[in-house]
Amino acid sequence: MRKLAITTTAVAAVALLALAGCSSRSADDSGSGDAKGFDKGSLIGVALPDKTSENWVLAGGLFKSAIEEAGFKADVQYAGQSTPVPDQQAQIASMSTKGAKVIIIGAKDGGQLGTQVKDAKAAGATVIAYDRILTDTKDIDYYVAFNNEKVGELQGQALLDGLKAKFPDKKSYNIELFSGDPGDANAPVFFQGAMKILQPKIDDGTLKVVSGQTDIKQTATKDWLAQNAQNRMDTILQGSYQSTELDGVLSPNDTLARAILTSVKSAGKPAIVVTGQDSEAASIPLIMSGEQYMTIYKDTRDLVKKAIEMTTQLSKGDKADTTTKTNNGSVDVPTFYLPPVVVTKDNAAEAYKNNPDLEKLTQQ
Ligand code: GAL
């Protein structure tokens, strides 16, 4: 009787899935990640995007040494700035040809590597998406990242907190919204995370986006380039803030936060509350002086270490440890999320205690 009930439920579930037109398949049902393992000395490929921010600059060197320390051979490549997508496609193809056992990818454009990861899988490599997920492909075995939605939520909440603290007498605030590069799968996730917190406050009138630009197509910053954010901020200040005060800006990372601050300063506007991400060395003094309200700490050393721990597990023929799954539009990808940490002037010294290079910047 009981067995029958379970069977009926299972049949109903399958029927429902079929009706919904979705598949219950997940990336690791394909048998990936539980292969025979591979020897020390094997080649591990790492394909990184162009060096848009300090975390990416750091990642290359960290990967090379972590891979070598773990006993493997490293092939670490960056995409160039002028043709990053084709660069990365060629680099991944070459890693597959050279017989890389694991290919770790920090995608410039996570939607444009489908052919390359398909070929990588066919050549016997395990594919790990690093920091940014690969979208709309089933040829992805694992994803390792800081929890991106959480990053956005922390930024949204911090913007609200910062506005209340800086302008205790105001009941409502004028803000503007920025997001990252449209090719980066993280950009919409950061933005949606932040909007989860900010949208209800826009709806109830606490926040006003004076430019009216709230759609991610309008807020995007092509290639995560500082100059693009600065130009957009200049234009918005010109068009919407001639006789209105700007109180705060949602910026998705530190590089763009500094560009936004430069724009606000050169327009002769008073100080604002601006968010950030990445704990870049150039932003930490600005956080200590109060010019940039907050950042997020995502220790690149931890993320690289985790990716190489996964690689070592795979080399032993084991599955890599994961904590959750992330749907990439095609499959549920086994995922390991690390927790992002929100940093303001108040906790900076404490937050960077394990990182002397950053900690010393909090003391100047
Ligand atoms: C994101 C990454 C951020 C930031 C940004 C700009 O994908 O998660 O930490 O670095 O790219 O390069």
Side-chain angles (χ1 to χ4, degrees):
M1 181 67 203
R2 212 170 143 238
K3 192 159 174 227
L4 182 69
I6 290 169
T7 311
T8 314
T9 316
V11 168
V14 168
L16 263 178
L17 280 168
L19 261 179
C22 46
S23 137
S24 61
R25 193 171 141 344
S26 95
D28 62 354
D29 295 338
S30 61
S32 57
D34 56 354
K36 314 125 247 123
F38 49 86
D39 296 333
K40 291 276 160 161
S42 297
L43 185 70
I44 307 300
V46 181
L48 298 172
D50 46 340
K51 299 177 180 176
T52 39
S53 57
E54 208 167 85
N55 51 337
W56 292 111
V57 176
L58 286 171
L62 290 168
F63 265 120
K64 189 165 185 315
S65 37
I67 290 171
E68 285 164 3
E69 257 164 52
F72 305 110
K73 240 179 14 217
D75 181 6
V76 180
Q77 303 289 337
Y78 278 100
Q81 228 198 315
S82 49
T83 53
V85 173
D87 283 1
Q88 201 163 44
Q89 291 170 336
Q91 287 159 350
I92 294 167
S94 145
M95 289 166 189
S96 307
T97 311
K98 285 189 267 183
K101 295 296 181 197
V102 175
I103 302 183
I104 299 169
I105 303 173
K108 163 67 187 176
D109 184 333
Q112 295 201 56
L113 298 173
T115 310
Q116 289 69 32
V117 289
K118 187 163 190 256
D119 294 348
K121 297 285 308 161
T126 299
V127 173
I128 303 181
Y130 170 88
D131 189 280
R132 303 172 175 177
I133 202 158
L134 306 172
T135 49
D136 301 320
T137 172
K138 58 178 181 38
D139 296 306
I140 165 175
D141 298 291
Y142 293 103
Y143 178 42
V144 58
F146 286 88
N147 186 329
N148 297 305
E149 188 174 16
K150 183 80 190 163
V151 168
E153 289 170 13
L154 293 171
Q155 290 172 326
Q157 189 56 51
L159 180 59
L160 271 182
D161 296 346
L163 288 166
K164 282 186 195 144
K166 191 171 180 76
F167 306 107
D169 298 332
K170 291 196 179 181
K171 296 264 172 305
S172 63
Y173 314 92
N174 293 334
I175 63 161
E176 292 299 328
L177 307 170
F178 282 71
S179 56
D181 180 59
D184 177 348
N186 286 351
V189 184
F190 296 147
F191 192 68
Q192 281 148 21
M195 289 309 268
K196 239 163 97 176
I197 312 290
L198 300 177
Q199 189 65 54
K201 299 292 175 185
I202 294 174
D203 294 343
D204 75 9
T206 309
L207 300 174
K208 183 165 183 215
V209 182
V210 177
S211 70
Q213 299 181 14
T214 54
D215 190 283
I216 193 160
K217 288 202 188 75
Q218 299 169 304
T219 61
T221 309
K222 176 107 180 65
D223 293 329
W224 287 100
L225 278 184
Q227 193 58 53
N228 294 340
Q230 196 171 324
N231 293 346
R232 178 167 173 257
M233 190 75 247
D234 287 348
T235 309
I236 290 176
L237 288 173
Q238 276 282 334
S240 306
Y241 290 91
Q242 295 283 0
S243 53
T244 310
E245 281 173 37
L246 172 67
D247 300 314
V249 173
L250 175 76
S251 163
N253 81 357
D254 289 349
T255 304
L256 305 190
R258 294 194 302 278
I260 290 160
L261 287 170
T262 303
S263 168
V264 170
K265 251 195 198 164
S266 42
K269 294 283 183 189
I272 59 161
V273 175
V274 64
T275 61
Q277 169 176 206
D278 291 339
S279 293
E280 292 191 0
S283 275
I284 294 170
L286 302 180
I287 286 167
M288 300 320 286
S289 69
E291 273 176 82
Q292 180 178 328
Y293 178 64
M294 62 80 76
T295 186
I296 301 277
Y297 188 29
K298 307 194 302 188
D299 194 334
T300 306
R301 299 171 307 175
D302 289 346
L303 195 56
V304 168
K305 194 167 145 216
K306 192 68 223 173
I308 301 309
E309 270 171 29
M310 290 170 123
T311 301
T312 300
Q313 287 170 336
L314 295 169
S315 75
K316 295 180 178 150
D318 296 333
K319 286 195 165 158
D321 282 345
T322 52
T323 51
T324 184
K325 294 200 172 180
T326 308
N327 190 282
N328 76 339
S330 180
V331 281
D332 289 329
V333 185
T335 299
F336 194 100
Y337 271 142
L338 282 82
V341 174
V342 62
V343 180
T344 64
K345 183 163 64 179
D346 296 337
N347 71 335
E350 175 65 26
Y352 301 138
K353 229 170 47 200
N354 70 348
N355 192 332
D357 289 342
L358 298 184
E359 193 197 12
K360 71 170 187 266
L361 296 168
T362 66
Q363 285 150 9
Q364 285 163 359

